[in-house]
Amino acid sequence: MNSIQHIDELVKEYLLFRGFTNTYKAFEADSKTDKDKGFQAEKIIEELFAAISSMDLSSLLEHWRYLDIRYFSRLDHRFAGSVKKFELCLLRYYLIFAIQHKRREKVVEFFELHGAELQGNPEWVRWFALPFSKKPETDPEFDLFFSKAWLDTFTVSLHNFLSTVFQNMPLPSLLCFNIDRLHRKALQCEVETLQSMIENLRKEIQSSDAEISSLRDQVALKKVTGARRRRAASMVEQQVVVAQDPKPDVLPKRSGSQSSHFSQTNRLAITNARRLRAASDAASLAKSEAESSEGSVTTSLSEEDLARSEEPFIIVSQEIFLEHQSGITHAKFSCEGSLIASCDAENIVRIWSYNGSSSMPPAKITNGSHNILSLAWETRDRYLFLGSDSSLVRCFGLESRSIVHEIKTDAQYPRIRCLAYSPVEAILVCAVSSMDDTTGALLSVNMKTMATDHMVTMDNGSSDVINTVGFNHNGQLVVTGDVGGMIKVYDIRSLTRIMEWSASSQPILSCTFSFDETSIFSVDSSGQLSQDSVHKPGKRIDTYPLQGFTTSTLSSAMMMATTSSSASIRSIGGSSIRSKSFLRTASSGGSVHSSSIPRIQLEGTGGAAGSAAVDVSSSGEANTGGSTSASTNTLEATTASSVSSTKQGNSSAKDNSTSTLTRMNVGPGQLLSWSGDTDHVVMGCGNAGVIVQANAGHQVQPLVGHSHPLTCVDWSPVVGACLTGSADGTIRISKLMRV
């Protein structure tokens, strides 16, 4: 409330800058007659006391009635008594002021006007005698109200009451700028603290590596010293044996002193030769062990530094949630990142919190015969929009926990393929198509009037059916990608086409504005990532193939998972787990204390797209700890349905994929999600998700996978977390931190 004056000045400056002179004059006039006085309690009290000083009873009552209607009536019923008490004291002060300034006729006038309604009130029974009392200031009934202490107490109490009411009012977005600034500053300080912690941990790791190298050198030195001692001890024992019990057949028989001299000389030569050989062997052993130890340390450090340099994120934690009993078809973070909306193959939508930051209990939406094809969050997380295949968009309110609106679209286009909500205005954009996806349209819905504002019909048949829709940062432009490989940009105000170009010969699965909005990133069904200029439509800036991305191997395996996971209680690894329970990873490396959740290692180069490797220990349990390097004993994890779909050939696999995606209600672009600055994208790769660098197309960060193929992914740049949903009904949340 302290910044209202500053905001008023900024508004005036803006109106003059835009040339809105009439609006400026109206704003000035309203500011002069502002009864709220800029929400300053002391000025409101001055206004009330000014009416008392001028003995203007009607103005006093009108101003108090305005405050009561606008502010006091919205308070909790517990404060109704306090409001009545302040009104009583205000009217009594009016009467006391009139007596003090010898205006008894105003007192008589007051009781003539309001005596009838105050007659039955016990608080006013004795006050009817006030105009007839000669010296009311000495009357025990009224002397308290003539004292300065009572007036000061009443003024301070009223000031505190008004200030408290104003401070607890919900503020408009324009007045929250300072709060948002402080919040951003706090987050920035937290990020700097975490970065310093990371730097300290790096230094500790380097010092630990140096200490390990030193300890290895000491161990090697001890081995060499021990070998020398053992050789010296063995030589001493042999020398003693030869001296005490020489063998008769070794030494020739000589007589007298010659025989004794020859024995001593021979023993001395043998001893010296053995010592020289032992010293030579010890030196060569020490040199070889030192070289091997140094080489192993250098190799391990270089590999570790290389792995560290290639991974731009640190995986803080990874958790699995079992909220559904059948395959996941849609899953999205809310705009603030604290909630998740997910839908399964049975068209049951759940809204739930994954980190305990939201106080809202989980919500369940049963859609009956409506198949959910798309969903979108409102910008402030107040509503969730569900698009179906029956020309209906349902609006679920989180406060009322019920369907608050149902928007009917054109019956000619019953399938709501994509939904996108404007980040600025109350506008919902829907990409719709006919039941057989042969024709399509794009329409915008005004959420204030709940009516369709504009509608654009596509005129090129099935090639114009839209797969993906996205807004720019200020909600003025909309970009779409369609089945024919075309990218189109529309003006949201009239839904007129501004520009279009052919980005690919394959269907566009996902497209989005770049962070600086000078280009548009897109991914087609062949896994080709492209970047096109907005200023020169059709000019290709760059293009890369996404390593490991595919949609053809998803079909039959996902169908099998959907059929097998429709029971109310699912068995995973021999353990029955209900849908409300969940398995949590124990460390940032993604280790899971369960034999049912194997760690998926993605193939970085070559091989069939979408293949994965499962690291299984000798005891039969899945090994999900620490290292992510490929092992020679790693088994190729493929489902029977994936093998069968591969044997059928590319054409049959493509048709099977299309039919399965349609039956599962999985959108074409749900296996791709962009980071907030669009420099990375998380994509589905078989059974696991992987983060890809957008400007190179290389995989830079694998995520722990699922036991079945992925059906959807999402990225929340607000909280720095990735979401992967699988055909077995599991959802994994991976929290990331940029390095």
Side-chain angles (χ1 to χ4, degrees):
M1 290 300 178
N2 297 329
S3 57
I4 286 183
Q5 302 295 331
H6 180 60
I7 295 296
D8 289 347
E9 295 299 326
L10 293 178
V11 171
K12 292 179 183 178
E13 181 183 0
Y14 175 76
L15 293 176
L16 290 176
F17 173 75
R18 293 297 307 275
F20 299 153
T21 55
N22 293 331
T23 307
Y24 178 81
K25 292 178 182 179
F27 186 79
E28 280 281 355
D30 289 340
S31 299
K32 291 178 181 179
T33 60
D34 181 21
K35 292 184 178 181
D36 297 327
K37 302 300 178 184
F39 300 102
Q40 300 181 36
E42 59 275 6
K43 290 190 177 182
I44 292 179
I45 294 175
E46 289 178 3
E47 187 75 14
L48 293 173
F49 283 6
I52 293 176
S53 300
S54 61
M55 302 308 295
D56 189 355
L57 181 60
S58 60
S59 177
L60 176 65
L61 294 177
E62 181 183 356
H63 199 168
W64 183 262
R65 192 176 298 108
Y66 168 79
L67 296 175
D68 189 15
I69 293 174
R70 175 149 189 203
Y71 303 110
F72 303 154
S73 60
R74 301 180 183 181
L75 298 177
D76 192 83
H77 63 89
R78 296 174 298 172
F79 300 99
S82 300
V83 174
K84 290 294 183 182
K85 194 70 174 178
F86 282 119
E87 182 181 5
L88 175 67
C89 293
L90 190 65
L91 295 177
R92 285 180 175 177
Y93 178 60
Y94 172 82
L95 298 176
I96 296 299
F97 187 85
I99 293 295
Q100 287 177 338
H101 292 77
K102 299 179 181 181
R103 301 290 299 273
R104 290 181 180 267
E105 69 278 4
K106 292 293 183 179
V107 179
V108 175
E109 179 185 359
F110 174 82
F111 284 108
E112 287 178 353
L113 294 175
H114 303 283
E117 59 185 78
L118 300 177
Q119 187 173 4
N121 192 340
E123 297 284 349
W124 288 95
V125 171
R126 294 184 177 273
W127 284 78
F128 283 96
L130 180 64
F132 308 104
S133 178
K134 294 183 179 180
K135 291 185 178 182
E137 61 273 9
T138 60
D139 191 336
E141 188 66 32
F142 307 112
D143 59 350
L144 173 64
F145 302 99
F146 285 89
S147 62
K148 188 176 182 301
W150 177 85
L151 180 59
D152 293 341
T153 303
F154 167 64
T155 305
V156 172
S157 300
L158 182 59
H159 182 278
N160 294 339
F161 180 73
L162 292 174
S163 300
T164 304
V165 171
F166 294 152
Q167 288 176 1
N168 290 276
M169 287 174 53
L171 298 178
S173 301
L174 189 60
L175 289 176
C176 293
F177 76 98
N178 194 37
I179 299 175
D180 295 339
R181 182 181 64 82
L182 294 176
H183 182 62
R184 287 196 301 270
K185 187 175 181 180
L187 291 178
Q188 184 178 1
C189 294
E190 184 178 356
V191 169
E192 292 176 355
T193 303
L194 293 175
Q195 288 178 347
S196 64
M197 291 175 59
I198 293 173
E199 188 64 28
N200 293 334
L201 291 174
R202 284 180 178 175
K203 292 180 180 179
E204 290 181 4
I205 291 174
Q206 293 176 357
S207 62
S208 300
D209 292 341
E211 185 177 356
I212 290 172
S213 177
S214 175
L215 291 175
R216 285 179 177 175
D217 294 340
Q218 293 179 10
V219 170
L221 182 60
K222 288 182 179 179
K223 288 182 179 179
V224 173
T225 305
R228 288 177 178 176
R229 290 177 179 175
R230 287 193 299 271
R231 289 179 182 274
S234 64
M235 286 187 294
V236 171
E237 291 177 357
Q238 292 176 3
Q239 181 179 359
V240 172
V241 170
V242 172
Q244 292 181 354
D245 189 18
K247 294 182 180 180
D249 56 348
V250 174
L251 299 177
K253 294 181 180 180
R254 294 184 182 272
S255 60
S257 62
Q258 290 181 355
S259 176
S260 176
H261 176 71
F262 178 78
S263 304
Q264 292 177 0
T265 305
N266 193 12
R267 284 196 299 270
L268 182 60
I270 292 173
T271 301
N272 291 334
R274 287 177 176 175
R275 287 179 178 176
L276 290 174
R277 183 181 298 174
S280 176
D281 293 343
S284 61
L285 178 62
K287 182 178 180 181
S288 62
E289 288 183 356
E291 290 177 353
S292 63
S293 175
E294 182 179 359
S296 62
V297 173
T298 305
T299 303
S300 63
L301 288 178
S302 63
E303 290 178 355
E304 186 176 356
D305 293 339
L306 180 61
R308 235 187 245 129
S309 63
E310 290 178 350
E311 295 183 356
F313 299 94
I314 294 177
I315 299 180
V316 179
S317 65
Q318 299 191 74
E319 301 174 325
I320 277 189
F321 294 85
L322 307 180
E323 297 290 331
H324 293 270
Q325 299 177 358
S326 59
I328 304 299
T329 59
H330 303 79
K332 280 190 177 181
F333 285 103
S334 63
C335 295
E336 296 181 357
S338 59
L339 298 175
I340 292 176
S342 54
C343 178
D344 57 23
E346 298 174 356
N347 292 305
I348 296 176
V349 178
R350 295 183 181 273
I351 303 173
W352 46 283
S353 174
Y354 63 95
N355 56 4
S357 61
S358 176
S359 59
M360 193 199 84
K364 177 181 177 181
I365 309 172
T366 304
N367 293 277
S369 60
H370 300 294
N371 291 322
I372 301 300
L373 305 183
S374 56
L375 57 84
W377 283 92
E378 188 260 349
T379 309
R380 297 183 180 179
D381 295 352
R382 296 177 300 179
Y383 304 103
L384 177 68
F385 300 96
L386 306 174
S388 65
D389 58 354
S390 56
S391 303
L392 189 67
V393 178
R394 309 178 76 191
C395 178
F396 180 83
L398 269 68
E399 293 184 0
S400 61
R401 299 176 63 81
S402 61
I403 301 295
V404 294
H405 298 292
E406 288 189 348
I407 306 168
K408 291 291 292 183
T409 60
D410 196 327
Q412 185 181 354
Y413 308 103
R415 291 174 56 82
I416 317 297
R417 294 172 60 88
C418 302
L419 292 175
Y421 196 87
S422 171
V424 178
E425 303 178 28
I427 296 177
L428 180 68
V429 172
C430 309
V432 297
S433 68
S434 59
M435 188 58 71
D436 55 357
D437 287 335
T438 56
T439 57
L442 184 69
L443 57 93
S444 61
V445 180
N446 190 330
M447 297 309 298
K448 294 181 179 179
T449 61
M450 304 304 295
T452 301
D453 278 351
H454 306 283
M455 181 173 177
V456 178
T457 304
M458 306 304 168
D459 51 6
N460 289 336
S462 60
S463 62
D464 262 354
V465 174
I466 296 175
N467 278 338
T468 176
V469 178
F471 279 91
N472 69 332
H473 78 286
N474 60 4
Q476 299 301 309
L477 300 178
V478 174
V479 60
T480 65
D482 56 30
V483 176
M486 296 291 293
I487 292 180
K488 303 174 184 178
V489 179
Y490 295 86
D491 184 357
I492 191 60
R493 290 169 291 188
S494 58
L495 214 61
T496 56
R497 189 181 307 169
I498 300 177
M499 62 186 77
E500 65 174 313
W501 65 89
S502 177
S504 174
S505 60
Q506 301 292 326
I508 301 297
L509 300 183
S510 178
C511 61
T512 183
F513 285 94
S514 64
F515 184 70
D516 56 3
E517 298 190 358
T518 60
S519 60
I520 290 179
F521 288 100
S522 63
V523 178
D524 61 17
S525 59
S526 64
Q528 195 76 8
L529 188 151
S530 304
Q531 184 180 5
D532 298 322
S533 174
V534 173
H535 303 298
K536 296 181 179 180
K539 180 182 179 181
R540 181 60 49 85
I541 298 176
D542 227 331
T543 179
Y544 302 99
L546 292 179
Q547 300 176 3
F549 178 76
T550 184
T551 57
S552 62
T553 60
L554 180 64
S555 59
S556 58
M558 184 169 60
M559 201 65 190
M560 180 196 71
T562 306
T563 305
S564 63
S565 62
S566 61
S568 61
I569 301 177
R570 291 176 287 116
S571 177
I572 300 179
S575 302
S576 295
I577 304 176
R578 295 189 180 272
S579 60
K580 287 297 181 183
S581 61
F582 55 87
L583 300 175
R584 296 181 180 270
T585 56
S587 67
S588 61
S591 61
V592 180
H593 296 293
S594 173
S595 62
S596 61
I597 311 296
R599 179 167 61 98
I600 306 300
Q601 294 178 333
L602 300 176
E603 297 293 333
T605 57
S611 63
V614 184
D615 188 9
V616 182
S617 63
S618 59
S619 63
E621 297 180 353
N623 180 12
T624 61
S627 173
T628 58
S629 62
S631 173
T632 57
N633 296 326
T634 303
L635 301 178
E636 292 296 323
T638 57
T639 60
S641 56
S642 297
V643 175
S644 63
S645 64
T646 306
K647 291 180 179 179
Q648 289 174 1
N650 293 333
S651 60
S652 61
K654 183 176 181 180
D655 297 338
N656 193 12
S657 173
T658 305
S659 62
T660 303
L661 291 176
T662 303
R663 280 200 243 173
M664 281 281 294
N665 296 328
V666 175
Q670 291 184 196
L671 292 177
L672 294 159
S673 184
W674 302 86
S675 64
D677 48 8
T678 61
D679 58 347
H680 290 87
V681 57
V682 59
M683 70 178 189
C685 189
N687 291 34
V690 62
I691 297 176
V692 178
Q693 193 173 5
N695 59 0
H698 299 313
Q699 298 182 7
V700 296
Q701 185 75 58
L703 304 176
V704 175
H706 300 253
S707 59
H708 287 70
L710 299 189
T711 54
C712 58
V713 299
D714 195 24
W715 193 323
S716 174
V718 178
V719 296
C722 287
L723 175 153
T724 55
S726 174
D728 63 352
T730 59
I731 294 178
R732 184 184 296 277
I733 309 296
S734 303
K735 294 184 180 179
L736 309 175
M737 180 183 295
R738 281 188 180 270
V739 177

